[in-house]
Amino acid sequence: MGFARACSVALVGVEGVVVEVQADLEAGVAAFTLVGLPDKSLVESRDRVRAAVVNSGAEWPQKKLTVGLSPASVPKGGSGFDLAVACAVLGAAERIDPASIDDVVMIGELGLDGRVRPVRGVLPAVLAAAEAGYRQVVVPEQSAGEAALVPGVSVLGVRSLRQLIAVLCDEPVPDEQRAHDEGRPDTMLAGLMMPGAGLGTGIARASATGEGARPDLADVAGQERPRKALEVAAAGGHHLLLTGPPGAGKTMLAERMPAILPPLTRQESLEVTAVHSVAGILPPGEPLVSRAPYCAPHHSATMQSLVGGGNGLPRPGAVSLAHRGILFLDEAPEFSVRALDALRQPLESGHVVVARSAGVVRLPARFLMVLAANPCPCGRHTLSGQGCECPPSAVRRYQARLSGPLLDRVDLRVVVDPVTREDLMGRGGRGESTATVAARVREARARAAERLAGTAWTTNSEVPGHELRTRLSAAPGALMAAERDMERGLLTARGLDRVLRVAWTVADLRGADRPDASDIAVALELRSGIPRGTSLGAGAGAG
């Protein structure tokens, strides 16, 4: 009788659970039994592992074999357990020393020829292993860069099971040839990409365009007020609604917003990379996402595709793919009401909890939401002299698709007017470039980060209202206008807190120590769209 164990990781959403893979050999009729709540793809590993072991030059044990995955109560799925199962079986058969694999975490799919194929979710799996105290991991060669992002972990990337056996037995390591010709796509990377994931979620590829080809904010003609609102939103992480007729530039503004956001910190990059790795949208050769993601799903997207879902354990939705970045909902009133209202919880908490019969998954979802909407079905409701043909009832129904509770969570609401001929022909001069605005945004975020040092918050949009009304108070008398609006029913308690957050961002952009009455007026104007007797450009700009 022989026994050996290895370790792997089961992913539940973007969180990992270390799984002990135990192999037991005993006398009896040759059979292979796999237990421990495996799914269909994991049950099929019995045939993959057997063929891979034989084709790697090792002998398959002709005994009764039982492989257990512990803890047995955790659902396990995917082909990433193949490598650990194969090594546990070889350890039980004494082809390799069982002690050499006791504390090694192994992640990878096996081909029938013994090659080790990469799988999705390597980064969150290695993070879970490191948190559990494991210091050695074995992954496919193509995923070694992703696994090496976790500090304090020794990573071994292998091309085949034959190579791993040689390393564990201290034998000469064979030189495995790459399976693809130079200049052709590597078929081994097919398992990293979820079919259709990049298109279905509207996720933008940062590598698709170089720095020189990145859309520039200077390309937007006119639109001084929306441009300033864009700057305030980026500086404080505030949600934004752009309302205006078709062709006014709402989508152009939103597409240029990722470039004015500061680069992700190391911790934020790891969070984003983990989500993208699990979702199967991490570009091969780019193990770390360093820029804020931009996700723009189509308005026909379902509630499950937005907040997460799917068969079995839920998978990340668009709100998680936009974590630490931008979720852009173009033609927002065309989304289903259920899908839009499902955004209310992640907008407040920064995460989404999806419950299914297979389990409950908590997914990160701290994103900056940008909504774009026409004023009515035909889009000409507010244009003077254009003659909107929509009946008043249709206009009310169209605008009511964005519910009051959802809009109450939107800090900035700006009307995007049609572009004038002078602006379109460039007679009024070009607006500021992305680099100029991005520099001011970085400075404003640095001021906020210094003020919030030692707390759990990094941007003004995350600060609770209690802190804004006590420890981070505005200048004396600055809140009079906001308090009057609240007494008249124009502001809710949540709305007042959000006005304070925007006012702090406006103050950061102009380099002030704390917001004054003019900053509050700018914040109220950005939230309500009602002029407050102050120039938005002067209030939101930087010195």
Side-chain angles (χ1 to χ4, degrees):
M1 186 173 95
F3 177 84
R5 62 183 179 184
C7 294
S8 192
V9 179
L11 289 176
V12 182
V14 295
E15 298 177 355
V17 178
V18 176
V19 173
E20 190 176 88
V21 181
Q22 303 170 341
D24 177 72
L25 284 173
E26 56 183 297
V29 178
F32 189 168
T33 304
L34 184 63
V35 297
L37 284 184
D39 71 348
K40 179 66 174 176
S41 61
L42 185 48
V43 168
E44 292 176 350
S45 70
R46 295 179 299 187
D47 300 316
R48 291 195 300 269
V49 169
R50 181 187 291 109
V53 168
V54 172
N55 290 326
S56 297
E59 183 180 352
W60 184 260
Q62 298 300 317
K63 295 182 180 180
K64 181 181 179 181
L65 171 61
T66 302
V67 174
L69 308 174
S70 298
S73 59
V74 176
K76 305 164 190 73
S79 56
F81 292 88
D82 288 2
L83 200 58
V85 171
C87 287
V89 171
L90 292 173
E94 298 183 351
R95 172 62 179 87
I96 60 179
D97 183 7
S100 65
I101 59 174
D102 268 352
D103 296 323
V104 180
V105 174
M106 301 180 182
I107 305 165
E109 176 186 332
L110 286 175
L112 300 184
D113 57 355
R115 288 184 297 166
V116 182
R117 304 177 65 94
V119 295
R120 297 189 297 270
V122 167
L123 177 59
V126 177
L127 283 169
E131 291 175 0
Y134 292 87
R135 292 294 175 261
Q136 290 182 306
V137 297
V138 178
V139 298
E141 184 184 53
Q142 295 91 334
S143 302
E146 184 180 345
L149 296 173
V150 182
V153 175
S154 175
V155 178
L156 173 62
V158 294
R159 293 186 188 176
S160 68
L161 179 60
R162 187 181 296 106
Q163 281 188 340
L164 180 56
I165 294 173
V167 171
L168 294 174
C169 296
D170 199 18
E171 300 172 355
V173 179
D175 184 18
E176 299 283 355
Q177 297 297 322
R178 292 185 178 272
H180 72 290
D181 299 331
E182 293 295 335
R184 292 186 178 182
D186 189 353
T187 57
M188 297 283 282
L189 300 177
L192 294 178
M193 302 296 291
M194 176 66 73
L199 298 176
T201 58
I203 195 77
R205 295 288 179 214
S207 59
T209 58
E211 290 294 331
R214 193 181 298 276
D216 197 297
L217 199 57
D219 299 334
V220 180
Q223 305 299 1
E224 184 66 22
R225 184 180 298 266
R227 287 167 60 98
K228 290 301 182 182
L230 209 70
E231 181 178 341
V232 172
H238 306 289
H239 306 305
L240 171 65
L241 169 63
L242 300 172
T243 306
K250 302 185 295 294
T251 303
M252 283 186 68
L253 288 164
E255 288 176 344
R256 283 150 180 78
M257 193 168 184
I260 67 177
L261 291 176
L264 300 176
T265 64
R266 175 73 177 184
Q267 180 60 35
E268 291 171 344
S269 293
L270 290 176
E271 294 175 7
V272 174
T273 303
V275 175
H276 287 201
S277 178
V278 170
I281 61 172
L282 190 64
E286 297 182 21
L288 186 66
V289 179
S290 59
R291 297 202 61 85
Y294 174 82
C295 188
H298 191 259
H299 59 73
S300 62
T302 63
M303 183 177 68
Q304 289 77 14
S305 67
L306 280 181
V307 300
N311 297 327
L313 287 175
R315 299 187 60 82
V319 296
S320 297
L321 300 180
H323 180 59
R324 300 296 181 183
I326 296 172
L327 176 67
F328 176 50
L329 302 184
D330 200 4
E331 305 292 346
E334 300 295 340
F335 283 79
S336 72
V337 176
R338 290 181 66 243
L340 290 174
D341 285 343
L343 300 176
R344 286 150 57 175
Q345 183 241 342
L347 283 174
E348 283 292 313
S349 62
H351 64 267
V352 59
V353 178
V354 184
R356 295 290 185 269
S357 59
V360 179
V361 173
R362 184 181 186 273
L363 299 167
R366 187 165 296 282
F367 55 90
L368 193 163
M369 182 178 68
V370 179
L371 302 173
N374 295 326
C376 67
C378 76
R380 299 192 298 268
H381 178 61
T382 57
L383 291 180
S384 58
Q386 290 294 326
C388 172
E389 300 175 356
C390 303
S393 59
V395 175
R396 287 195 300 269
R397 283 196 304 270
Y398 189 79
Q399 294 178 351
R401 295 179 69 88
L402 299 179
S403 66
L406 177 65
L407 291 179
D408 199 33
R409 291 165 168 82
V410 177
D411 302 339
L412 314 175
R413 307 173 192 174
V414 179
V415 175
V416 183
D417 295 320
V419 181
T420 64
R421 182 176 60 181
E422 289 76 11
D423 289 333
L424 191 61
M425 302 307 296
R427 295 170 186 171
R430 296 189 69 189
E432 292 179 315
S433 67
T434 294
T436 302
V437 177
R440 288 203 299 267
V441 169
R442 285 195 300 269
E443 293 174 2
R445 286 219 175 188
R447 292 190 186 97
E450 183 179 358
R451 180 173 63 251
L452 300 174
T455 69
W457 320 298
T458 56
T459 59
N460 292 323
S461 63
E462 302 172 17
V463 182
H466 175 72
E467 293 289 326
L468 293 169
R469 294 188 298 270
T470 55
R471 188 170 66 88
L472 301 175
S473 58
L479 290 176
M480 291 180 61
E483 291 170 353
R484 284 196 301 267
D485 281 5
M486 189 174 180
E487 291 175 355
R488 296 169 184 169
L490 301 178
L491 272 183
T492 63
R494 180 191 291 118
L496 179 61
D497 290 344
R498 292 185 175 275
V499 166
L500 284 172
R501 293 169 183 168
V502 174
W504 271 105
T505 301
V506 175
D508 286 336
L509 282 169
R510 66 182 183 88
D513 293 333
R514 58 177 176 172
D516 56 17
S518 65
D519 298 325
I520 296 293
V522 170
L524 286 170
E525 182 174 343
L526 285 172
R527 181 171 180 83
S528 63
I530 301 174
R532 300 283 172 162
T534 183
S535 171
L536 180 60

